[in-house]
Amino acid sequence: MRVRATIAALALAGSTPLLAQVGPPLTKVTVRAMPQSRLTQRLFGDLGRIMLPDFDRGRPGRRPTRPLAELEFRTIPTATYTPGLCQSSLVTVHFVPDGPLAGADTPVRPTGIEVSENYVISDLDRLRRGGELSEAQRERLGIACADIDPRHSGTIDAPDEMMLVGDVQALTALIEAARAGQVRIALNCPVPRDDPPTSESACRQRVAELDVRQVSTVARCDPPPAAGAGCFELGVGGMSVRFESDSVTTAPSRVVIEPMIVIADELID
C-alpha cells in the first residue's frame, strides 16, 4: 500500500528539516552525479543516514533529456515483530520544475513524498516456525536486518506482516507437498485458448519448481473469483500463485498458477 504524505506530515524527525533546499538547485544531471551521502543529507537531513538511493542513474554515455520528476529510496531494514522478518520503507520523492525548462538541466524542487512498507525475509525457517520474539531476540533481529541491503535482497510488497507470514507459509507448504508428490488441493495451470491443457503432473511440477525466496508481492485478489469467496495471490519469480476458497472463512480448496502478464514500455529519460 502506498501512502501519500506531505513534507510536514513527516516531521517525525523532530527539528530536522526534511527535503530542505540548501545549496544550488537540483537537476536530474546533478542528482545523478552526487555522492549518496551528500544527496540523502540534502534531501532528508539526519534521516539521510537510513536512506539508500534506489533509482536509475541512466545509461553511460547517454545524456538524459527530461526534467527530474521523482527519486526512489529504501530505508535500512529494521526488525518487525515476526521472527525472521525485516521491514524497509520505499520512499518516493516527487519534484516539479523550479525555473525555466531546460531538459535534464531544469532546476527542480521537491513537492511531496509517497511511502510504502516492504518486507525482507531474513530467515525463512524461523519465520515458518512462528512464535513471538522476546526483546533480546528482536534486538538481535534488528542487528541482522540492518546488515541487509533491500535493493539487492528481494523485497516483498504486502499489506501487512501478518498476511505476508500466513501467505508465505501456505506457499511453502504447497511447494513442499508438490515436491513430495502429495498435493491434496486442486491445482489449475491455465494455458492460452489454442494450447493443449496442462496435465496434472506438469502443473504439479510447475509448483515444485517455485522458489519462496522469489516472492515479490502478497495481496488479496482483485477482483476475487466470486462474490463472498476468499482469495489471496502471490507473485513468485514471474508467476502468479492464487489460492482460492469458497468463502473467506474456509481454507483454500484450489490453487491457480500462471505466468504474470507484464507490459512495460521504455520511458524516455
Side-chain angles (χ1 to χ4, degrees), residues 34-50:
M34 291 174 70
Q36 172 178 315
S37 59
R38 183 181 170 195
L39 174 61
T40 55
Q41 172 69 26
R42 168 76 179 267
L43 291 176
F44 300 102
D46 288 346
L47 281 178
R49 290 175 293 182
I50 66 169

Side-chain angles (χ1 to χ4, degrees), residues 227-261:
C231 184
F232 61 87
E233 183 175 12
L234 302 95
V236 190
M239 302 295 290
S240 165
V241 183
R242 194 166 66 249
F243 289 76
E244 300 178 355
S245 55
D246 295 328
S247 76
V248 294
T249 59
T250 58
S253 56
R254 54 194 171 275
V255 180
V256 181
I257 309 98
E258 58 186 333
M260 296 195 317
I261 300 176

Side-chain angles (χ1 to χ4, degrees), residues 201-235:
S201 60
C203 190
R204 185 172 61 249
Q205 182 61 31
R206 180 178 295 182
V207 174
E209 292 172 354
L210 295 174
D211 187 345
V212 178
R213 294 170 297 180
Q214 295 182 352
V215 172
S216 58
T217 59
V218 170
R220 295 174 180 84
C221 301
D222 184 23
C231 184
F232 61 87
E233 183 175 12
L234 302 95

Side-chain angles (χ1 to χ4, degrees), residues 161-241:
E161 63 183 89
M162 290 185 62
M163 182 174 180
L164 182 150
V165 172
D167 292 4
V168 167
Q169 288 175 340
L171 175 65
T172 305
L174 177 68
I175 293 173
E176 291 180 348
R179 291 173 179 173
Q182 298 177 349
V183 176
R184 302 184 185 282
I185 189 172
L187 299 179
N188 181 13
C189 292
V191 296
R193 179 177 301 176
D194 296 331
D195 289 358
T198 304
S199 67
E200 179 180 348
S201 60
C203 190
R204 185 172 61 249
Q205 182 61 31
R206 180 178 295 182
V207 174
E209 292 172 354
L210 295 174
D211 187 345
V212 178
R213 294 170 297 180
Q214 295 182 352
V215 172
S216 58
T217 59
V218 170
R220 295 174 180 84
C221 301
D222 184 23
C231 184
F232 61 87
E233 183 175 12
L234 302 95
V236 190
M239 302 295 290
S240 165
V241 183

